[in-house]
Amino acid sequence: MKTLFVKTGEKTLELVNPRAIKDFQKVAIGELIQGEYKIPRSPKFHRLYFALLNIMFENQDKELDFEKFRKLIMYEIGEVEVLGFSGNNIICIPKSISFSEMEETEFNIVYEKTLELALKSHFKGADRSDIEELLHSFI
């Protein structure tokens, strides 16, 4: 079972999920439990990224739906996964930005590249700090 923990001390974690708490009460003291840990991405940062995408989408001159637009942006910033080759063509798909597929450090790179693209193509002449201030007003 996957669950969330909160760090409560230098070497102490506490369960957050009530079901997991109930299940772990059945485990004997000293019994080993195997697991993995992952520090989840910030939902606030995820919303900030989508605010940026939405502003870019509203200012596009192409007639794309949002999902196709989002994937096109991933291609434009080079965040793709190579699937293979077909003749002389490279077959690529955009990387997934889901919480389970992309960690915070990689997501930060996607955000930075997308913001740079936005400043060059969607907000020509705009100041980065002005755009970021606008984005923060949406989240």
Side-chain angles (χ1 to χ4, degrees), residues 7-72:
K7 183 176 177 182
T8 57
E10 192 59 37
K11 297 181 182 180
T12 311
L13 299 175
E14 286 189 24
L15 291 160
V16 176
N17 179 313
R19 179 174 170 224
I21 292 169
K22 185 177 178 181
D23 289 346
F24 273 86
Q25 288 172 343
K26 299 173 188 172
V27 176
I29 303 289
E31 190 174 339
L32 291 177
I33 299 171
Q34 181 178 342
E36 6 180 310
Y37 75 91
K38 180 179 180 180
I39 298 172
R41 271 202 350 235
S42 162
K44 184 177 179 181
F45 191 45
H46 193 80
R47 287 191 302 273
L48 183 71
Y49 178 71
F50 271 88
L52 173 60
L53 284 179
N54 279 308
I55 292 170
M56 292 170 68
F57 178 72
E58 291 170 9
N59 291 298
Q60 69 165 326
D61 54 0
K62 300 174 184 126
E63 293 194 26
L64 298 172
D65 66 35
F66 182 77
E67 191 57 25
K68 288 179 183 172
F69 176 77
R70 186 190 67 74
K71 289 176 180 179
L72 181 62

Side-chain angles (χ1 to χ4, degrees), residues 18-133:
R19 179 174 170 224
I21 292 169
K22 185 177 178 181
D23 289 346
F24 273 86
Q25 288 172 343
K26 299 173 188 172
V27 176
I29 303 289
E31 190 174 339
L32 291 177
I33 299 171
Q34 181 178 342
E36 6 180 310
Y37 75 91
K38 180 179 180 180
I39 298 172
R41 271 202 350 235
S42 162
K44 184 177 179 181
F45 191 45
H46 193 80
R47 287 191 302 273
L48 183 71
Y49 178 71
F50 271 88
L52 173 60
L53 284 179
N54 279 308
I55 292 170
M56 292 170 68
F57 178 72
E58 291 170 9
N59 291 298
Q60 69 165 326
D61 54 0
K62 300 174 184 126
E63 293 194 26
L64 298 172
D65 66 35
F66 182 77
E67 191 57 25
K68 288 179 183 172
F69 176 77
R70 186 190 67 74
K71 289 176 180 179
L72 181 62
I73 294 299
M74 292 297 282
Y75 276 108
E76 288 184 29
I77 64 173
E79 290 296 325
V80 295
E81 185 178 328
V82 176
L83 292 181
F85 299 90
S86 176
N88 292 332
N89 299 318
I90 300 172
I91 302 169
C92 299
I93 60 170
K95 289 182 181 177
S96 171
I97 59 169
S98 74
F99 282 83
S100 62
E101 297 289 324
M102 186 176 284
E103 293 188 8
E104 187 81 22
T105 52
E106 188 177 1
F107 188 70
N108 189 43
I109 292 168
V110 169
Y111 172 80
E112 288 297 324
K113 287 181 174 181
T114 304
L115 183 57
E116 286 301 316
L117 175 66
L119 289 168
K120 289 178 186 171
S121 61
H122 290 77
F123 310 115
K124 293 177 184 170
D127 185 63
R128 178 187 174 110
S129 61
D130 292 337
I131 298 301
E132 287 186 318
E133 186 177 319

